[in-house]
Amino acid sequence: MRPGKMAPAGGCGAVTGLWVPLALLALARAALAFTEQYPPLSLLQQELHRQRQGPAGGCASAGEWAEQYSAECDSSFLHFHESDCDIGGSSSCESMLSLNTEKILSQAKLLAEQKRFPFATDNDNTNEELAIAYVLIGNGLYDEAIRHFSTMLQEEPELVSAIYGRGIAYGKKGLHDMKNAELALFELSRVISLEPDHPEVFEQRAEILSPLGRISEALSDLTKAIQLQPSARLYRHRGTLYFISEDYATAHEDFQHSLELNKNQPIAMLYKGLTFFHRGLLKEAIDSFKEALKQKADFIDAYKSLGQAYRELGNFDAATENFQKALLLNQNHVQTLQLKGMMLYHHGSLDEALKNFKRCLQLEPYNEVCQYMKGLSHVAMGQFYEGIKAQTKVMLNDPLPGQKASPEYLKVKYLREYSRYLHAHLDTPLTEYNIDIDLPGNFKDHWAKNLPFLIENYEEQPGLQPHIKDVLFQNFESYKPDVQELMCVADHLGAMMQYETPGFLPNKRIHRAMGLATLEVMQAVQRTWANSKVRMNGKTRLMQWRDMFDIAVKWRRIADPDQPVLWLDQMPARSLSRGFNNHINLIRGQVINMRYLEYFEKILHFIKDRILVYHGANNPKGLLEVREALEKVHKVEDLLPIMKFNSKTRDGFTVNTKVPSLKDEGKEYDGFTITITGDKVGNILFSVETQTTEERTQLYHAEIDALYKDLTAKGKVLILSAELGEVDAVCNLILSLVYYFYNLMPLSRGSSVIAYSVIMGALMASGKEVSGKIPKGKASIKIHWLVDFEAMTAPGSEAFSKIARSWMNLKSISPSYKSLPSVSETFPTLRTMIEVLNTDSSHCLKKTIVVV
């Protein structure tokens, strides 16, 4: 701090008392970023709840965070013995004051002699009186301090130190009371008008403004403080606010400035890592988190963030190791338990996830995320009674008036209704009912769109029926040897579908489910080509293309009941007429969706071509200028200036892809829409979406129907004559059919893995199996590794077939597949499906899998 009327010792206790909770707030927000299922709001709300219940802030009461600020807090004038006084009970405070008068006076005398409080005067008597009030603040006696300052101000209305001290005391009383906040701001503003050149006052006012949500005003105050006298702390504080505002690039600059002024700051280093994390720069984030741990070996939040970064990379082992290190430092660290539990759930380790959620709830009984996830885990494992009990507890947490409902609260009623439906059908043959037909249209529509559960005239699903028992765990050894083989083969096939790219965590439960789906598709397609009929929705008939996909849909649904995997054309007509959008943000502001990072360049080239076509047709005179500008465009952000060349695109533009028809040569269908918009400060929205309207769906269905009819005819010929040409033709038809499925995006969730399991299963029916894994993308070799995006960005079905076959490495199927039992007959009900998904798969590692 700068010398002057304010003594240099006015440290954390007075000037940075509210920053510790802000740091926690931002960390909580960062912890769940990029987790598709659970946005940061959940942890953020929990952290705010803790703050409201906990102390007002300040170094002396900040727990583990106090150490991070120790270098700047060691001389704080509020670091006296902490008070045991209950501030809520004034009588106890008064008795404590009388008991400790001598002690308070001695502390005040020492403080006055050393002028270790803000805006000390040249008058010794005045300084002693001021010091008494500041000692009262230090002992938590805020009302007494306010009265003491007020008495002094009656005699000397412009005594700056008293005005400032009274402002501090109002702030310390608690900003949950708006009156305290307003009075604190009023006093601090008075100080600034009297003494405008003290950075500490601007910083203190920023600390009051920021928890009130007045971030821009707080940033302005911190900028003024930095202009007056830059410091590592001020840059760190301003960086924190930019971080909360999601301006990660500017926040990164401030944390970097702070570290240049004082390199030994674990928190600033952690935040620097989080700014990388949010921009999709995971490796840089990991380096920063590791650097923070070098500075502070027992930094729990650095281990937690490191775990989350590895989880986003899809590195389960490294994520587990770092979450575990955080818990070794503090086994009761709720956020780590929550994050680790969620990672385990999405890894398919439901029983292990459940242990973490239960421990979380022992520590925080009202933690909505852990409560919701506990209910979800139970239901996914078929334990419906415990699951619905946990869900009901979340439903009881009605948001307060004016409070935003949590994502868990918004989702839980859908999950409860779906859970009841699943339980009622546990033992009904899967061929005898259909979720898409049975569930009410408005329920499905609201669920898929993640809307609040406000459905008119909704009739709840019947409650749990006592005669239907929960699913029991089955040991691997309890299955017959041929079924064990079936499970192990399924695990192997499912693992072949794993995207090895950031953002995709391996999920062994999904692997087994989709591996079984692949085998069931293979068996069903073989029966169809042999003229056998299938039983679907209570009817026996020839299998259609949708039946083939429905096999994979049912397995994907039951693997994770949290996600609504629904056919969009089965939604209410009103919803379809407006269009049902599948939307993916590639860049929002400064947040990059790392899953699709390697497709940015391909999409960018497409956009540049479309811009040239557009300007050639609408602005031929300016075409040369646009072409020259486009040559300098190397990343999506560079497109923003190009928008200004035409008044219609100044605020943004959309580009539509086209999908050529095989059925009607020369005809094209709408693919997906690319949207780019930008604001004055350069934040952009770069997104893609498919709009599933009734008309578009019918066009795609006609294309898929024609391909499926051709596929069935050629498949029947193939069974009689396995000539190479016939096999190739069948393979190309399968890939072409799925190419249109990908571009249609007919499901609310899960289209990608469902379609790929159909590809693998249908190819196996033709006598070919996929032996190659979906490759990683590499900077040096332009291989694209997201099957759905490859289909959506390919110029046609032939191009998609060519690139897909390049990595599939098709080979002749192993004869041993014929000896595997029928999947549909082995697992004919939901109960049997859940049982096999629950069964431990570690035994398969010890077996020799027939297809390897």
Side-chain angles (χ1 to χ4, degrees):
M1 290 187 178
R2 195 172 65 171
K5 288 189 179 179
M6 178 175 278
C12 259
V15 184
T16 61
L18 294 169
W19 285 102
V20 172
L22 273 177
L24 284 170
L25 182 149
L27 278 172
R29 183 168 189 158
L32 284 186
F34 288 105
T35 51
E36 179 184 333
Q37 294 82 2
Y38 296 96
L41 184 61
S42 310
L43 281 184
L44 179 59
Q45 287 180 326
Q46 294 167 40
E47 195 53 59
L48 286 170
H49 178 69
R50 268 195 221 84
Q51 290 171 31
R52 291 189 192 108
Q53 292 182 322
C59 293
S61 57
E64 64 182 275
W65 294 87
E67 296 177 37
Q68 306 307 314
Y69 295 93
S70 58
E72 297 175 58
C73 296
D74 53 5
S75 59
S76 169
F77 64 82
L78 293 186
H79 277 199
F80 298 117
H81 300 292
E82 289 195 40
S83 165
D84 293 322
C85 161
D86 176 10
I87 305 303
S90 58
S91 60
S92 61
C93 290
E94 287 171 9
S95 63
M96 194 208 93
L97 181 60
S98 62
L99 287 171
N100 291 281
T101 300
E102 186 177 339
K103 186 176 178 182
I104 287 173
L105 288 173
S106 67
Q107 290 175 348
K109 186 174 178 61
L110 182 63
L111 200 66
E113 287 173 355
Q114 298 177 357
K115 293 190 176 181
R116 288 181 58 238
F117 59 88
F119 297 103
T121 71
D122 296 328
N123 186 302
D124 291 343
N125 291 332
T126 301
N127 284 344
E128 284 192 20
E129 287 297 317
L130 288 167
I132 289 171
Y134 279 109
V135 170
L136 290 170
I137 293 175
N139 281 275
L141 302 171
Y142 307 128
D143 287 324
E144 284 75 5
I146 290 166
R147 283 197 287 269
H148 198 92
F149 284 130
S150 298
T151 301
M152 296 185 74
L153 286 167
Q154 284 176 353
E155 297 178 10
E156 194 174 344
E158 294 193 350
L159 182 58
V160 175
S161 185
I163 299 170
Y164 184 73
R166 192 161 66 175
I168 291 172
Y170 280 126
K172 289 282 185 183
K173 276 185 71 175
L175 300 183
H176 54 276
D177 185 339
M178 272 307 295
K179 186 178 179 183
N180 289 335
E182 288 169 2
L183 289 168
L185 290 173
F186 177 76
E187 302 290 25
L188 293 171
S189 298
R190 283 181 67 198
V191 175
I192 288 171
S193 66
L194 294 167
E195 296 283 349
D197 296 328
H198 289 271
E200 302 86 350
V201 191
F202 286 99
E203 186 180 11
Q204 180 68 56
R205 190 168 68 175
E207 292 172 358
I208 305 293
L209 289 164
S210 51
L212 301 176
R214 295 162 65 175
I215 302 297
S216 60
E217 295 171 75
L219 284 169
S220 177
D221 273 359
L222 287 170
T223 300
K224 179 65 176 176
I226 288 169
Q227 289 169 351
L228 289 168
Q229 185 176 339
S231 71
R233 186 187 66 249
L234 285 170
Y235 276 119
R236 186 182 68 229
H237 290 176
R238 192 175 68 174
T240 304
L241 284 191
Y242 278 125
F243 185 94
I244 292 170
S245 305
E246 296 186 1
D247 186 350
Y248 303 117
T250 309
H252 178 269
E253 290 175 13
D254 272 357
F255 293 131
Q256 189 60 40
H257 284 314
S258 181
L259 288 162
E260 286 167 4
L261 291 169
N262 177 6
K263 65 180 181 180
N264 187 30
Q265 294 186 85
I267 278 189
M269 185 59 71
L270 175 70
Y271 272 89
K272 179 183 171 183
L274 290 171
T275 63
F276 284 130
F277 181 94
H278 279 272
R279 288 180 289 164
L281 305 170
L282 291 177
K283 289 176 180 160
E284 291 86 345
I286 286 168
D287 288 341
S288 295
F289 298 148
K290 287 180 176 177
E291 188 61 36
L293 285 164
K294 285 180 186 176
Q295 295 182 12
K296 179 173 168 53
D298 60 348
F299 196 177
I300 292 176
D301 282 282
Y303 279 122
K304 180 190 72 178
S305 299
L306 197 53
Q308 192 67 359
Y310 278 122
R311 181 240 190 268
E312 292 302 331
L313 276 177
N315 189 333
F316 175 77
D317 292 336
T320 302
E321 179 186 348
N322 283 283
F323 284 141
Q324 202 53 40
K325 285 178 179 177
L327 290 171
L328 284 172
L329 290 168
N330 179 3
Q331 63 179 351
N332 297 333
H333 199 253
V334 171
Q335 286 183 16
T336 302
L337 287 165
Q338 182 176 314
L339 289 171
K340 184 184 175 191
M342 291 173 72
M343 180 190 71
L344 287 164
Y345 178 88
H346 294 293
H347 180 61
S349 305
L350 271 55
D351 48 346
E352 289 298 312
L354 197 52
K355 292 174 187 174
N356 284 269
F357 298 134
K358 287 179 177 178
R359 178 65 183 147
C360 167
L361 289 167
Q362 286 175 348
L363 298 165
E364 272 190 12
Y366 297 102
N367 185 308
E368 277 191 84
V369 176
C370 289
Q371 192 70 257
Y372 179 88
M373 292 303 298
K374 177 188 173 187
L376 174 61
S377 301
H378 276 303
V379 164
M381 291 190 288
Q383 299 163 5
F384 290 91
Y385 289 90
E386 283 298 320
I388 289 178
K389 191 191 301 181
Q391 293 164 20
T392 305
K393 288 181 180 178
V394 178
M395 289 175 61
L396 295 174
N397 290 340
D398 294 312
L400 299 170
Q403 184 183 10
K404 193 174 180 181
S406 69
E408 291 70 37
Y409 183 84
L410 290 175
K411 292 196 302 178
V412 71
K413 193 159 187 182
Y414 295 107
L415 179 60
R416 189 185 72 163
E417 291 300 288
Y418 186 45
S419 300
R420 287 172 165 177
Y421 176 87
L422 293 177
H423 184 263
H425 291 83
L426 266 178
D427 300 306
T428 307
L430 289 154
T431 54
E432 302 302 312
Y433 65 96
N434 185 317
I435 287 174
D436 286 284
I437 294 172
D438 294 347
L439 293 176
N442 284 341
F443 174 90
K444 294 186 298 177
D445 185 53
H446 280 60
W447 187 21
K449 292 176 180 174
N450 199 27
L451 298 173
F453 197 102
L454 300 170
I455 304 172
E456 289 184 14
N457 303 319
Y458 177 76
E459 188 175 332
E460 288 191 350
Q461 294 288 326
L464 299 188
Q465 303 299 308
H467 69 278
I468 303 175
K469 303 303 179 187
D470 274 351
V471 175
L472 299 176
F473 276 95
Q474 302 295 315
N475 291 323
F476 185 80
E477 293 80 5
S478 68
Y479 288 100
K480 294 178 181 178
D482 60 343
V483 178
Q484 292 180 17
E485 195 68 53
L486 183 71
M487 292 157 66
C488 293
V489 171
D491 287 353
H492 167 73
L493 292 172
M496 302 281 286
M497 304 179 203
Q498 178 64 39
Y499 286 155
E500 294 189 31
T501 184
F504 292 93
L505 187 74
N507 187 324
K508 59 187 182 182
R509 190 178 180 88
I510 296 287
H511 288 172
R512 176 168 291 178
M514 302 322 294
L516 287 166
T518 298
L519 292 169
E520 189 173 346
V521 167
M522 174 193 76
Q523 293 167 350
V525 171
Q526 285 175 336
R527 287 197 304 271
T528 299
W529 291 348
N531 281 322
S532 295
K533 295 181 179 180
V534 296
R535 186 162 180 82
M536 290 280 179
N537 308 327
K539 297 177 182 177
T540 302
R541 53 177 170 75
L542 291 173
M543 187 170 78
Q544 301 302 310
W545 68 264
R546 192 195 290 260
D547 302 324
M548 182 170 63
F549 283 93
D550 257 330
I551 291 168
V553 166
K554 74 174 181 182
W555 282 103
R556 178 61 182 81
R557 275 175 178 156
I558 205 61
D560 184 4
D562 189 43
Q563 298 181 359
V565 182
L566 301 164
W567 289 96
L568 298 182
D569 67 337
Q570 300 295 311
M571 294 291 179
R574 186 179 59 181
S575 178
L576 264 183
S577 64
R578 290 198 298 263
F580 197 104
N581 292 0
N582 271 305
H583 184 93
I584 302 171
N585 282 332
L586 302 179
I587 303 176
R588 183 179 63 83
Q590 297 168 11
V591 181
I592 296 171
N593 191 333
M594 67 195 81
R595 291 184 169 192
Y596 304 97
L597 200 56
E598 290 201 25
Y599 277 85
F600 285 15
E601 186 175 342
K602 189 173 184 180
I603 295 174
L604 183 60
H605 283 303
F606 174 78
I607 294 170
K608 289 161 76 171
D609 289 342
R610 300 307 300 170
I611 288 174
L612 286 173
V613 171
Y614 174 82
H615 279 277
N618 296 284
N619 183 25
K621 291 181 180 178
L623 185 59
L624 180 62
E625 187 183 4
V626 171
R627 190 186 300 277
E628 290 174 352
L630 283 172
E631 287 175 1
K632 299 173 185 175
V633 171
H634 302 294
K635 56 183 187 294
V636 176
E637 295 89 323
D638 297 340
L639 285 170
L640 293 177
I642 309 293
M643 295 179 186
K644 297 170 185 173
F645 282 100
N646 188 292
S647 59
K648 291 182 180 178
T649 63
R650 190 166 294 148
D651 298 322
F653 59 85
T654 60
V655 180
N656 297 308
T657 64
K658 294 295 180 181
V659 176
S661 169
L662 281 176
K663 183 169 68 74
D664 301 313
E665 191 174 343
K667 191 174 182 180
E668 291 182 324
Y669 308 130
D670 288 334
F672 65 93
T673 301
I674 304 163
T675 301
I676 300 179
T677 60
D679 59 24
K680 292 177 182 176
V681 295
N683 284 326
I684 72 168
L685 175 65
F686 174 36
S687 64
V688 299
E689 69 178 21
T690 54
Q691 190 173 36
T692 306
T693 60
E694 188 172 3
E695 181 184 2
R696 181 176 179 273
T697 299
Q698 287 174 355
L699 290 170
Y700 273 89
H701 279 192
E703 192 79 29
I704 296 171
D705 282 338
L707 285 164
Y708 183 76
K709 185 177 179 181
D710 200 6
L711 174 63
T712 303
K714 283 189 166 55
K716 289 178 178 181
V717 171
L718 183 64
I719 285 181
L720 300 173
S721 172
E723 293 185 12
L724 187 62
E726 293 291 346
V727 175
D728 270 353
V730 167
C731 289
N732 286 331
L733 281 170
I734 291 166
L735 291 168
S736 294
L737 188 152
V738 177
Y739 164 77
Y740 289 102
F741 181 91
Y742 274 127
N743 277 283
L744 174 58
M745 294 291 282
L747 296 164
S748 58
R749 295 293 293 270
S751 293
S752 182
V753 72
I754 285 166
Y756 200 62
S757 63
V758 168
I759 288 175
M760 290 179 68
L763 285 172
M764 288 164 69
S766 75
K768 293 290 183 180
E769 65 175 302
V770 176
S771 65
K773 292 198 73 174
I774 301 167
K776 296 180 182 180
K778 296 180 181 177
S780 57
I781 306 171
K782 293 299 177 187
I783 297 175
H784 299 295
W785 29 250
L786 301 181
V787 188
D788 51 349
F789 247 58
E790 187 54 48
M792 291 164 68
T793 54
S797 60
E798 289 181 12
F800 170 68
S801 296
K802 186 177 179 181
I803 189 71
R805 291 183 73 155
S806 72
W807 78 63
M808 285 180 173
N809 191 21
L810 296 178
K811 66 177 186 180
S812 296
I813 194 170
S814 167
S816 56
Y817 279 113
K818 292 182 179 178
S819 63
L820 293 174
S822 164
V823 176
S824 60
E825 291 174 12
T826 307
F827 310 112
T829 62
L830 276 177
R831 182 184 298 278
T832 53
M833 289 173 70
I834 295 172
E835 283 172 351
V836 73
L837 295 183
N838 286 345
T839 304
D840 182 21
S841 61
S842 60
H843 299 79
C844 292
L845 300 174
K846 304 167 189 172
K847 293 172 69 71
T848 302
I849 300 174
V850 291
V851 295
V852 176

